[in-house]
Amino acid sequence: MLSGQGAADCRVKRRSTSYLEEETRLMARIQAGDLRAFEHLYRSYHPRLTRFLTNLIHRPQLVEEALDDTMLVVWNQPGRYNGHSRLSTWIFGIAYRKGLKALRRDDQPVKDKDPDGRISGEAGPEQQLGDRQVQGVLLHAISQLSPDHRAVVDLTYFHDIGYRETAEIMDCPVDTVKTRMYYARRHLRRMLAERLGGEV
Amino acid sequence: MGRIIPLTRGRHDEAQRLLPWYVTGRLEPAESAQVEAHLATCAECQADVALERRLRSEVATLPLDTDAGWLRLRRRLAPPQRSSLRLTPGLRRMLRRLSSRSGLVWTLTAQAVFLAAFLLGVGAVLLSPLGRPAAYRTLGQAPAAASGNVIVIFRPDMPERELRRTLLASNARLVGGPTPADAYVLSVPRPERLAALARLRAEPGIVMAEPIDAGSGP
């Protein structure tokens, strides 16, 4: 269980270097107005951004709008990418801000009044989930988190992004990211206890 | 903010707070070692690692329709109108850094700029979305170029005999060019374009070979 971490680190670093080179070249082409390069970038980021924004916003039409707005920034203002961070950090940061903006426009609460509680008032009883799969229970539990907590969970579990980069994307201290994740996990564990308790 | 956990609660709490990124392999080596040292002595955290892995694996992918999304956004895109082909200083710096590892970088960048220069000239029509009539046209559009689907840059010292052999080998016709960037437009049978591109790129006399429509790809 504990072995292989060092080798995994090396693999991640090699992969990161490769991504960095590819994305830098891609942005160079986009800055030069290469539409094919932009389409390549779009197709590469579409699944991740759709996933991230769906998790953050929970409204399909707003997700599409926020995703388009995000990619339009990349196309129209590629010079804003200064190369100091990973391209994905820059793009996810744009998406996060566009997602929050979409939520505000839709008059939905962006932050919980109780940042530690993070459970929205619309949470339904777990019993209503009936015989749904564990995955369904988990997605429902995630949906009860605040957008900020959902974003941290999604960036961490799905996108494999570290807490420092997540803090950069969300423009907040790293301890805030850790704390959000801690409370989000505690909530998920509580919600999943009956379903996963005997399986792990 | 009153209930934020203090950072001084000891190794257990800190390990708990790092577990998600330990499981995803996104910790610094020192942090990872710190968590592992604690895991060796804490049954609760060991169980939590298993749960973390389970949670992570359960966060499943959604079925997504990237093609529909791209078509939607493509309709909103203005044609490429870069006032300058110069790269921003940050990107130039990164490319310089990369070029120390790969001599190809500047070549590739130069190709991208050449390609962009060409696209600014006649590419607007060639890049019309998915076969629909373009909403914008350049005055200098050459009719023959409209049938091209590959753009190439030949090496300046490539013998003419070699150029003809290359075109024949790829079943390609020369239909346009040279552009100001010294690029040429070729037409290859669409079903064979992928193979033609691969052959062209393998030719020593070809500097660059790229598909030039915005359709479903090469």
Side-chain angles (χ1 to χ4, degrees):
Chain A
M1 178 177 69
L2 303 181
S3 63
Q5 190 72 30
D9 289 342
C10 288
R11 282 196 298 274
V12 166
K13 281 179 183 169
R14 275 200 300 272
R15 198 175 53 198
S16 298
T17 303
S18 169
Y19 283 160
L20 181 66
E21 292 179 8
E22 183 184 340
E23 292 190 329
T24 300
R25 289 166 184 154
L26 209 52
M27 279 308 287
R29 291 171 62 193
I30 290 172
Q31 286 197 7
D34 184 339
L35 190 60
R36 285 195 67 85
F38 179 62
E39 179 178 355
H40 181 78
L41 186 81
Y42 177 91
R43 292 184 178 280
S44 162
Y45 274 85
H46 178 274
R48 286 182 276 173
L49 289 180
T50 301
R51 161 76 195 209
F52 175 64
L53 288 166
T54 299
N55 201 23
L56 184 68
I57 300 174
H58 278 203
R59 293 164 188 76
Q61 68 279 16
L62 293 183
V63 168
E64 291 177 359
E65 186 183 325
L67 194 150
D68 285 2
D69 288 348
T70 300
M71 294 309 291
L72 282 171
V73 170
V74 176
W75 175 248
N76 291 327
Q77 303 172 59
R80 283 178 52 188
Y81 176 57
N82 58 22
H84 292 311
S85 61
R86 291 164 58 98
L87 181 60
S88 60
T89 305
W90 181 60
I91 293 178
F92 270 95
I94 298 169
Y96 178 65
R97 291 189 293 278
K98 295 292 183 188
L100 293 185
K101 191 174 169 186
L103 277 175
R104 280 195 292 270
R105 274 203 308 271
D106 206 42
D107 282 337
Q108 295 297 322
V110 172
K111 292 180 184 292
D112 281 353
K113 290 176 182 174
D114 174 6
D116 296 342
R118 95 246 125 246
I119 300 173
S120 73
E122 63 187 28
E126 191 177 2
Q127 291 82 351
Q128 288 181 357
L129 297 171
D131 294 327
R132 283 187 188 178
Q133 300 294 317
V134 168
Q135 184 183 67
V137 179
L138 177 61
L139 290 174
H140 177 72
I142 290 174
S143 75
Q144 294 178 309
L145 298 170
S146 77
D148 282 339
H149 289 79
R150 284 200 298 269
V152 174
V153 169
D154 194 51
L155 291 171
T156 301
Y157 282 151
F158 183 78
H159 300 280
D160 282 352
I161 292 176
Y163 64 83
R164 292 183 181 85
E165 192 176 343
T166 296
E168 205 175 331
I169 289 169
M170 301 180 76
D171 194 23
C172 69
V174 291
D175 277 336
T176 302
V177 172
K178 289 182 186 174
T179 302
R180 284 174 179 161
M181 192 62 183
Y182 178 86
Y183 284 112
R185 286 160 57 224
R186 198 172 69 169
H187 169 66
L188 297 181
R189 286 178 61 169
R190 195 160 50 221
M191 292 293 289
L192 293 168
E194 290 183 16
R195 304 292 174 127
L196 294 181
E199 299 178 35
V200 291
Chain B
M1 298 297 289
R3 278 187 277 165
I4 288 180
I5 290 186
L7 291 174
T8 54
R9 282 195 183 176
R11 292 183 177 179
H12 177 79
D13 284 354
E14 186 57 17
Q16 278 283 323
R17 285 153 62 82
L18 292 177
L19 278 187
W21 299 284
Y22 172 75
V23 164
T24 58
R26 304 298 297 181
L27 291 181
E28 296 294 325
E31 293 172 319
S32 194
Q34 173 192 332
V35 172
E36 288 185 1
H38 176 70
L39 280 172
T41 62
C42 180
E44 181 186 344
C45 284
Q46 287 173 17
D48 280 348
V49 167
L51 180 58
E52 285 294 327
R53 292 199 166 120
R54 181 66 191 270
L55 282 176
R56 182 194 178 200
S57 70
E58 294 290 352
V59 178
T61 56
L62 296 173
L64 300 170
D65 189 349
T66 301
D67 287 332
W70 169 247
L71 287 175
R72 184 186 67 248
L73 180 62
R74 182 67 186 82
R75 284 191 287 271
R76 293 178 62 186
L77 294 182
Q81 288 180 342
R82 301 291 191 247
S83 58
S84 166
L85 294 179
R86 295 180 60 186
L87 307 178
T88 56
L91 210 46
R92 276 205 304 275
R93 179 171 43 74
M94 291 187 73
L95 283 166
R96 268 201 304 275
R97 217 161 58 206
L98 293 176
S99 69
S100 65
R101 287 200 298 274
S102 167
L104 287 175
V105 173
W106 280 114
T107 306
L108 290 170
T109 307
Q111 290 164 8
V113 173
F114 287 150
L115 175 61
F118 170 75
L119 295 177
L120 288 171
V122 298
V125 173
L126 295 174
L127 287 171
S128 64
L130 303 164
R132 291 189 289 108
Y136 45 86
R137 289 177 182 279
T138 54
L139 294 174
Q141 175 191 353
S147 62
N149 53 8
V150 168
I151 182 173
V152 295
I153 296 178
F154 300 106
R155 286 198 186 284
D157 57 353
M158 186 183 191
E160 183 266 346
R161 185 183 63 230
E162 189 64 14
L163 189 148
R164 280 191 286 119
R165 183 196 63 75
T166 299
L167 294 179
L168 282 171
S170 301
N171 199 13
R173 288 187 301 114
L174 191 60
V175 297
T179 72
D182 206 25
Y184 289 83
V185 181
L186 307 184
S187 173
V188 299
R190 179 159 287 276
E192 301 170 20
R193 184 163 72 161
L194 196 61
L197 281 167
R199 272 196 300 273
L200 288 166
R201 287 166 180 161
E203 289 285 349
I206 300 286
V207 173
M208 181 199 78
E210 292 290 331
I212 53 169
D213 60 2
S216 55

